[in-house]
Structures are given as structure tokens and as C-alpha cells.
């Protein structure tokens, strides 16, 4: 494992934990799309089913368990613990417009036509667009201040580091996964779009550094 993948994993984990802490400490999930978080939980569930069939390393297994547990903990806080603060009236993105096409694409374009491989491919495709309900919610309300800036920063950092990881692995290991790379580029573009919306809604960009 190279340093870019390791720091990318840790940045991703930091983003998830920061979101959990933000909800727990404020006792509110206002401004957070529960639908996006459900999609992320679905991403981790379908991606890490190999926990039941294969062992790669202790680090790999622990990180997978943590990702899945944190994803479902976030969904629980939004839809159960702090349900009264959830703004469902603005979280109206039709997620079936993402899940159904992504599911069809995973059947058509994959590395191997087997159940685990199709589900893994589905998770890669779905992760690239899982942030869309959150973007839609922000564009609908015209507000971005309720979204944790550190959460967004570390999600963006995670994606940037993974792009560098893929470049590193191509040049030094000869590894090239077109599915993961294309989906990662799409996801990066969507996060860039969020940052554009964030700035144009009048927020101070320097708050990302605070």
C-alpha cells in the first residue's frame, strides 16, 4: 500500500467521523441529506461483502467494518435519534433515478459477471453519484452553511489522494482499473461542482480552513 492510498483512506474515515461528531454534538442533522447517507451505506454494504469470503489483511478488514458501521450509525442518527431535526421536505431527490441506472450499468459493464463482482462494480458506480441528493438539497434551499466544512474538505481530499494513488499504481505497479478511475473522476467533478455552489451561495471559502 502506498502513502497516497493510506492517507486517502484516513481522510475518508476522518470525513465520516467528523460528520458523525457534527450530528451528535449539535444534536441536529439539519442540512444533511439522509438520502445521500443511505446511498453511502448501500455503497459500503455492496462493496465489502467480501468480508465474508476473503481475508486480505487485518487493516483491510478493520477499515471495512468501520466504514460500514459508521455509515449505518449516520443513517440511524438521521432517521431515528434526531429524526425531528431532519429536513425531509427539502431532501426530495429521486434516488431511484440513480440506483436503477447504476444497477443496470453494473450488469453491463464489469470485470467479471459474478454476483460479488457485479455488486462491487455497482458500489463503485453508485459512490460516484451518491453525493447528488446532497447537492440537490443545497441547490433547493440555497443554503450550504449547515453542512460541515471539514467533512466536505476531507471527502474532497480523499478523492484527490485516490486519484494520485491510481496514477502511482499505474506507473509503479502497472495497475489500471478503468471502472474505478472513470467513476472516481465523475465523483471528483461532482465535488468540484459542490464547492462552486458553496462559494456562489455567498459563503466565505476561508471557512474550509477554519
Amino acid at each position: 500500500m502506498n502513502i497516497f492510498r493510506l492517507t486517502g483512506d484516513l481522510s475518508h474515515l476522518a470525513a465520516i467521523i467528523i460528520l458523525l461528531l457534527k450530528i451528535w454534538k449539535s444534536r441536529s442533522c439539519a442540512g444533511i441529506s439522509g438520502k445521500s447517507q443511505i446511498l453511502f451505506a448501500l455503497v459500503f454494504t455492496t462493496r465489502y461483502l467480501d468480508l465474508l469470503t476473503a481475508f486480505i489483511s487485518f487493516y483491510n478488514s478493520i477499515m471495512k467494518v468501520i466504514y460500514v458501521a459508521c455509515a449505518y450509525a449516520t443513517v440511524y442518527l438521521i432517521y431515528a435519534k434526531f429524526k425531528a431535526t431532519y429536513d425531509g421536505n427539502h431532501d426530495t431527490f429521486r434516488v431511484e433515478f440513480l440506483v436503477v441506472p447504476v444497477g443496470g450499468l453494473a450488469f453491463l459493464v464489469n470485470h467479471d459477471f459474478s454476483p460479488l463482482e457485479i455488486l462491487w462494480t455497482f458500489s463503485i458506480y453508485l459512490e460516484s453519484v451518491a453525493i447528488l441528493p446532497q447537492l440537490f438539497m443545497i441547490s433547493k434551499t440555497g443554503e450550504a452553511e449547515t453542512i460541515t466544512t471539514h467533512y466536505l474538505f476531507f471527502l474532497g481530499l480523499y478523492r484527490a489522494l485516490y486519484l494520485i494513488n491510481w496514477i502511482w499504481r499505474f506507473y509503479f505497479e502497472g495497475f489500471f482499473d478503468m471502472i474505478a478511475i472513470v467513476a472516481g473522476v465523475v465523483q471528483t467533478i461532482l465535488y468540484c461542482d459542490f464547492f462552486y455552489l458553496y462559494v456562489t451561495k455567498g459563503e466565505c471559502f476561508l471557512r474550509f480552513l477554519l
Side-chain angles (χ1 to χ4, degrees):
M1 178 187 298
N2 62 66
I3 189 63
F4 301 111
R5 181 174 178 180
L6 176 61
T7 52
D9 286 345
L10 295 178
S11 296
H12 195 185
L13 181 60
I16 296 170
I17 292 175
I18 286 170
L19 181 62
L20 277 169
L21 290 176
K22 185 263 181 186
I23 297 172
W24 186 260
K25 291 177 108 178
S26 67
R27 318 295 286 181
S28 172
C29 54
I32 298 173
S33 169
K35 291 186 176 182
S36 271
Q37 297 307 313
I38 287 177
L39 292 180
F40 282 125
L42 183 58
V43 165
F44 293 133
T45 302
T46 53
R47 182 173 302 172
Y48 299 143
L49 288 173
D50 62 350
L51 270 170
L52 306 175
T53 60
F55 177 80
I56 299 174
S57 68
F58 179 74
Y59 167 83
N60 183 272
S61 297
I62 287 297
M63 291 297 283
K64 288 177 179 179
V65 170
I66 291 174
Y67 283 143
V68 172
C70 287
Y72 280 97
T74 303
V75 171
Y76 166 75
L77 292 180
I78 294 173
Y79 287 99
K81 182 72 174 178
F82 304 119
K83 183 179 180 180
T85 66
Y86 169 56
D87 187 8
N89 291 328
H90 289 118
D91 193 15
T92 57
F93 191 94
R94 300 283 296 277
V95 294
E96 59 269 28
F97 292 158
L98 300 177
V99 175
V100 174
V102 162
L105 185 61
F107 269 95
L108 296 173
V109 183
N110 52 66
H111 295 307
D112 179 49
F113 197 76
S114 64
L116 283 180
E117 186 64 28
I118 290 172
L119 288 171
W120 179 87
T121 305
F122 170 79
S123 77
I124 296 296
Y125 293 151
L126 185 60
E127 185 185 17
S128 69
V129 295
I131 198 65
L132 281 175
Q134 184 69 73
L135 292 173
F136 182 78
M137 188 175 184
I138 293 170
S139 65
K140 190 173 182 180
T141 61
E143 298 177 353
E145 66 273 13
T146 52
I147 307 303
T148 304
T149 54
H150 295 304
Y151 167 68
L152 297 170
F153 172 78
F154 279 103
L155 273 183
L157 182 61
Y158 145 68
R159 180 45 56 195
L161 288 167
Y162 253 70
L163 287 176
I164 300 173
N165 162 64
W166 289 326
I167 295 172
W168 175 278
R169 295 191 66 185
F170 175 73
Y171 280 103
F172 292 97
E173 302 175 15
F175 175 83
F176 184 79
D177 188 330
M178 180 61 74
I179 288 176
I181 290 173
V182 171
V185 170
V186 170
Q187 186 178 0
T188 302
I189 292 172
L190 290 179
Y191 280 114
C192 289
D193 184 56
F194 172 83
F195 293 137
Y196 170 77
L197 285 172
Y198 186 86
V199 173
T200 57
K201 292 302 180 182
E203 292 292 323
C204 177
F205 185 74
L206 290 177
R207 286 186 59 189
F208 280 102
L209 305 178
L210 297 179

